[in-house]
Amino acid sequence: NAGVMQNPRHLVRRRGQEARLRCSPMKGHSHVYWYRQLPEEGLKFMVYLQKENIIDESGMPKERFSAEFPKEGPSILRIQQVVRGDSAAYFCASSPVPGRGEAFFGQGTRLTVV
Amino acid sequence: GQQLNQSPQSMFIQEGEDVSMNCTSSSIFNTWLWYKQDPGEGPVLLIALYKAGELTSNGRLTAQFGITRKDSFLNISASIPSDVGIYFCAGQLSGNTGKLIFGQGTTLQVKP
């Protein structure tokens, strides 16, 4: 997972606040994926983005969650009005060629909502 | 939705023993991946499989892509303490955009 940079590593938010999670893909990768992992569970797909485009957001909750991958800068996963159930580890992965499925993960952001 | 059933859920073995874990699904996948996750870290790619029947090794790790395209296994030979962690299988569906479906993970503990 070297090269995919996520920050912050840990984020604490009070209920109702906004959380912003950032991801810089590996150099040369233009495909970014966000996954969520609850304790003791596997990763669950949330959204797939290319530069300036959302390609697949089938795993994103319908409300409060949004993602972007601007032409310049990192990809952002934004959670508005956080609730306790949003507490989880959020991982970003990048891929050079999406069709092959090979994806490299960052170290994750652990969100705790208090 | 699609699911991957990964087993066993956990294993506690003696150093030096071989380990085997597997994933099955009712869906056909065109790619199988095996990842290892250490506590507090992201998953690290161990082996990628792209063809049905493919058998691939990476050091002491060997993985196979099942002929039916619905299953895969991972073997670890001569386990060592640093093999401790959670192992996940992940599959990509045919024609997919690269979205991965993950198994529930196998927690491996190695007793020195």
Side-chain angles (χ1 to χ4, degrees), chain A residues 8-113:
Chain A
R9 290 290 307 273
H10 300 275
L11 182 62
V12 179
R13 284 287 178 266
R14 294 188 184 277
R15 281 177 292 172
Q17 290 184 321
E18 178 180 288
R20 279 184 172 243
L21 288 62
R22 289 177 290 278
C23 168
S24 295
M26 287 180 70
K27 188 176 181 181
H29 290 191
S30 58
H31 306 273
V32 167
Y33 304 80
W34 285 92
Y35 290 81
R36 177 163 62 176
Q37 184 179 34
L38 295 172
E40 315 272 321
E41 293 187 10
L43 284 74
K44 297 286 193 296
F45 169 80
M46 298 181 75
V47 62
Y48 162 42
L49 309 105
Q50 293 180 20
K51 284 284 187 181
E52 300 184 276
N53 287 303
I54 297 174
I55 306 302
D56 181 352
E57 55 182 348
S58 58
M60 287 278 270
K62 293 289 184 280
E63 298 177 347
R64 303 188 297 108
F65 284 71
S66 62
E68 63 177 12
F69 189 13
K71 187 176 180 180
E72 302 291 337
S75 175
I76 305 286
L77 179 68
R78 182 182 177 206
I79 311 172
Q80 295 178 291
Q81 299 174 351
V82 296
V83 300
R84 289 243 170 94
D86 296 332
S87 296
Y90 291 84
F91 291 96
C92 167
S94 73
S95 173
V97 180
R100 283 172 65 84
E102 199 169 282
F104 298 89
F105 284 81
Q107 292 180 301
T109 294
R110 276 138 190 91
L111 172 66
T112 301
V113 179

